[in-house]
Amino acid sequence: NSALNLVHKHGPGSQLFDGGPINHTKVLLEDMARVKWIQSKISNSISGTSDLKESNVSLPASYGSGGSSYVVTVGLGTPTKNLTLLFDTGSALTWTQCEPCIGSCYNQTEPIFNPSRSSSYANISCSAPSCIQLPSGTDQLTGCSGSTCVYGASYGDASFTDGFFATETLTLTPTDVITNFEFGCGENNQGTFDGFAGLLGLARDPVSIIEQSATQYGRYFSYCLPRSTSCTGYLTFGRGTVTSASLNFTPMVTIAQNPLFYGINITGISVGGNPLSIPSTVFSNAGAIIDSGTTLTSLPPTAYTALQSAFQKAMANYTSAPPIYPFDTCYDFSMFSTITVPVITFSFDGPINVNLDWSGMFYWVNASEVCLAFVANNADTDGVIYGNTQQRTFEVIYDVPGGQIGFGAQGCS
């Protein structure tokens, strides 16, 4: 068991917090770009299944950048240098900015990692098996600089990182160390990364930290995303200690088009305990993934319209607020000290039902601009993404060898 603190990038517990207000327009535009990027990589055909393995480590985690996302702080190199990384179940490669910035480097809070000052850094050869199979985790062909492996990775909003593929010592906690960890040492990095030092890749691929730490932690990890920017959650590798009083599991699904994503089967949605009239084929035809880096859950238009209609009916006594892109169902709660909202329940294969926390139903700009935190896809066949807002306060467990994903209410306590 190894645990890291997890915090929101915009929260006071984050190394990246600058005290300024959140730019909600920027956050939401970046999130919509990520949704389109992920949907371009997944098809509407899915097939069930998984992989195969135990110790554990838990890390504090907090809010991050690139939409409304979360970061953890790890150590890299010898001697160890602390780096704050965005953690992402939708990406495989772990990377950080490195000196010298041959192309360009964006501004980050901590000093940029200098591999020449680490005694444990080593470049990976072009002929190494890990270099040859790296494109499965980056969707880009690798290159060579002399005999050294060169990687590239790009993201949905035109952000990218390029540099050397290398090995280093990764320190999760003083007693949890991964030697010869393969990562990207980025000397040319541009985009909307803003403050954090790079990315911690948790997707299903040989280059992911999940596979690289399989002998220590058995391809088993969990996290809890805190309710607000001022709270701390965690990211745990290994089975650890269950923090939720009750856990329910749904099968982990493999997305045929891009198997690095964690697929799930959504079977229905209820509002206030009343199941919505949504044909079961609406979800099965689209296919769905769960993603830690996407802020909002994107639904097939048929499902979103049913959810919107039922929610608006239940909230008829509250004052509507003007729409804010990409939302069309917003409220002004500034005159209320308490509000009563209908519980939104997601049903998954199992069968299991997950009652969202109130913080998982709304996107809060301020008290007079509070919006239903879901968006509609362009078509019913577009892939569904179960976003991080809806995962807040839950202990979310990824049991890769067991082929299942678990949800436990009040998991951050």
Side-chain angles (χ1 to χ4, degrees):
N1 171 23
S2 183
L4 296 171
N5 278 343
L6 177 154
V7 295
H8 196 284
K9 185 257 184 178
H10 297 296
S14 170
Q15 299 279 353
L16 316 180
F17 181 63
D18 61 5
I22 297 174
N23 184 335
H24 292 283
T25 300
K26 180 173 180 286
V27 164
L28 295 168
L29 287 173
E30 289 174 5
D31 198 59
M32 292 300 98
R34 180 181 176 89
V35 168
K36 292 178 181 177
W37 172 67
I38 290 177
Q39 287 176 339
S40 73
K41 294 179 178 296
I42 59 177
S43 73
N44 59 8
S45 62
I46 55 178
S47 60
T49 192
S50 317
D51 288 308
L52 265 187
K53 222 180 175 214
E54 223 159 281
S55 171
N56 74 65
V57 57
S58 189
L59 313 177
S62 61
Y63 267 125
S65 169
S68 188
S69 44
Y70 298 81
V71 292
V72 295
T73 299
V74 299
L76 190 69
T78 308
T80 297
K81 301 296 183 184
N82 284 342
L83 297 171
T84 298
L85 306 179
L86 186 81
F87 91 93
D88 189 3
T89 60
S91 300
L93 178 70
T94 295
W95 61 270
T96 188
Q97 296 198 108
C98 284
E99 295 284 4
C101 295
I102 299 300
S104 66
C105 286
Y106 59 88
N107 291 329
Q108 68 177 58
T109 302
E110 296 130 338
I112 293 175
F113 184 72
N114 189 337
S116 68
R117 296 179 181 173
S118 172
S119 61
S120 48
Y121 177 89
N123 286 324
I124 293 175
S125 166
C126 275
S127 60
S130 58
C131 179
I132 295 170
Q133 69 181 5
L134 184 58
S136 70
T138 62
D139 275 346
Q140 290 192 19
L141 294 176
T142 52
C144 290
S145 177
S147 62
T148 300
C149 187
V150 175
Y151 80 94
S154 60
Y155 303 92
D157 54 5
S159 300
F160 67 85
T161 175
D162 301 311
F164 291 110
F165 190 41
T167 61
E168 203 25 301
T169 297
L170 180 68
T171 301
L172 301 178
T173 72
T175 57
D176 291 277
V177 178
I178 304 172
T179 57
N180 299 313
F181 180 75
E182 297 173 346
F183 78 111
C185 199
E187 295 187 356
N188 185 23
N189 319 284
Q190 293 183 30
T192 58
F193 301 122
D194 186 26
F196 56 86
L199 185 147
L200 186 69
L202 299 167
R204 290 196 284 180
D205 184 84
V207 77
S208 167
I209 187 175
I210 304 307
E211 292 297 323
Q212 292 198 56
S213 66
T215 56
Q216 292 106 309
Y217 308 124
R219 300 188 183 94
Y220 195 102
F221 70 98
S222 60
Y223 56 73
C224 187
L225 308 180
R227 176 174 287 156
S228 71
T229 58
S230 60
C231 299
T232 299
Y234 59 81
L235 169 63
T236 297
F237 297 100
R239 293 188 180 271
T241 301
V242 174
T243 58
S244 177
S246 61
L247 284 174
N248 293 295
F249 286 89
T250 185
M252 184 181 291
V253 173
T254 295
I255 304 298
Q257 180 80 1
N258 203 320
L260 65 77
F261 293 112
Y262 295 97
I264 52 175
N265 282 334
I266 300 171
T267 58
I269 304 174
S270 299
V271 175
N274 300 311
L276 302 179
S277 182
I278 304 170
S280 59
T281 53
V282 168
F283 292 114
S284 60
N285 288 343
I289 68 164
I290 182 171
D291 183 45
S292 70
T294 300
T295 306
L296 308 170
T297 290
S298 58
L299 295 171
T302 296
Y304 176 77
T305 300
L307 170 62
Q308 176 199 45
S309 176
F311 194 82
Q312 288 177 343
K313 183 177 180 181
M315 297 288 287
N317 291 333
Y318 294 94
T319 304
S320 295
I324 305 168
Y325 179 83
F327 306 113
D328 57 16
T329 301
C330 301
Y331 298 93
D332 181 354
F333 293 145
S334 60
M335 303 300 291
F336 296 88
S337 57
T338 61
I339 57 173
T340 301
V341 298
V343 174
I344 297 176
T345 303
F346 270 71
S347 297
F348 301 95
D349 263 0
I352 67 169
N353 294 316
V354 175
N355 296 326
L356 301 187
D357 184 77
W358 64 264
S359 65
M361 301 183 204
F362 294 112
Y363 187 96
W364 289 72
V365 176
N366 54 56
S368 60
E369 297 175 301
V370 182
C371 301
L372 184 64
F374 299 85
V375 293
N377 286 331
N378 290 327
D380 278 350
T381 52
D382 291 339
V384 175
I385 303 173
Y386 192 72
N388 64 41
T389 297
Q390 283 65 44
Q391 299 172 52
R392 286 179 185 169
T393 75
F394 283 90
E395 180 172 26
V396 185
I397 292 177
Y398 293 71
D399 177 6
V400 179
Q404 58 183 359
I405 294 176
F407 296 92
Q410 299 178 349
C412 293
S413 58

